[in-house]
Amino acid sequence: MAVCNKEEAYTWSQTREELTINVVLPSGIRSDHVRCEVRAGIEIQISVAGQQCEKEILKGDLFNAVGSSVWTIENHILTLELEKKQARFWPRALHGGAAVDVAALEKQEELNRQPVYKIPPGKCYTSAQEQNLASYVA
């Protein structure tokens, strides 16, 4: 089968532990027409088989190694979920792809771990005041 009409359009997101890649598929494609492979934990290839040729949608090397993977299709979007072998943020999903600011991701992660409200140092509340504060949080 010949490879035709290569198109590399994808979006991606990540946590420290997982990478998610979303690819828009041509309309009318069924899951049995899609081939999604992760080779040696580093190379991905997504293609669609048609009557005349195979259309390569996305092919490339991941920024780092992954372990398990699973893919699904919903509303013409293929979602590939990959478990990273090392838990850390990546600057890009694929070599040569768009980069993100890893330091900004780490800073945002730290901010998300902070409690919404902290009692100021040296400040004590009576149990009635604590109950009143709890009603604002709930």
Side-chain angles (χ1 to χ4, degrees):
M1 233 182 250
V3 175
C4 63
N5 300 327
K6 183 176 180 184
E7 182 181 321
E8 294 186 353
Y10 66 96
T11 59
W12 64 285
S13 60
Q14 67 176 319
T15 64
R16 284 186 180 275
E17 296 80 22
E18 295 180 345
L19 174 71
T20 301
I21 297 176
N22 294 303
V23 178
V24 177
L25 298 173
S27 61
I29 296 298
R30 298 187 330 242
S31 61
D32 60 340
H33 293 153
V34 176
R35 186 174 70 187
C36 182
E37 298 178 3
V38 180
R39 297 185 192 124
I42 197 83
E43 181 186 350
I44 64 169
Q45 180 176 359
I46 300 170
S47 57
V48 177
Q51 292 180 356
Q52 302 296 323
C53 65
E54 183 172 306
K55 180 179 180 182
E56 189 173 86
I57 303 293
L58 181 64
K59 181 178 181 178
D61 290 336
L62 293 164
F63 180 77
N64 215 329
V66 296
S68 64
S69 65
V70 63
W71 60 275
T72 58
I73 297 174
E74 188 173 332
N75 298 323
H76 303 292
I77 297 174
L78 182 143
T79 300
L80 175 60
E81 297 179 24
L82 304 146
E83 180 185 6
K84 296 176 180 177
K85 288 217 174 183
Q86 294 180 347
R88 65 184 182 114
F89 287 117
W90 294 1
R92 58 185 41 87
L94 300 174
H95 286 286
V100 297
D101 183 354
V102 170
L105 292 175
E106 290 169 341
K107 183 176 181 178
Q108 184 62 45
E109 181 185 53
E110 181 62 31
L111 289 173
N112 290 342
R113 279 190 265 185
Q114 306 255 338
V116 176
Y117 177 80
K118 290 192 253 182
I119 297 174
K123 184 83 172 172
C124 294
Y125 291 103
T126 66
S127 100
Q129 289 171 319
E130 288 174 353
Q131 288 176 357
N132 193 21
L133 284 174
S135 68
Y136 287 114
V137 175

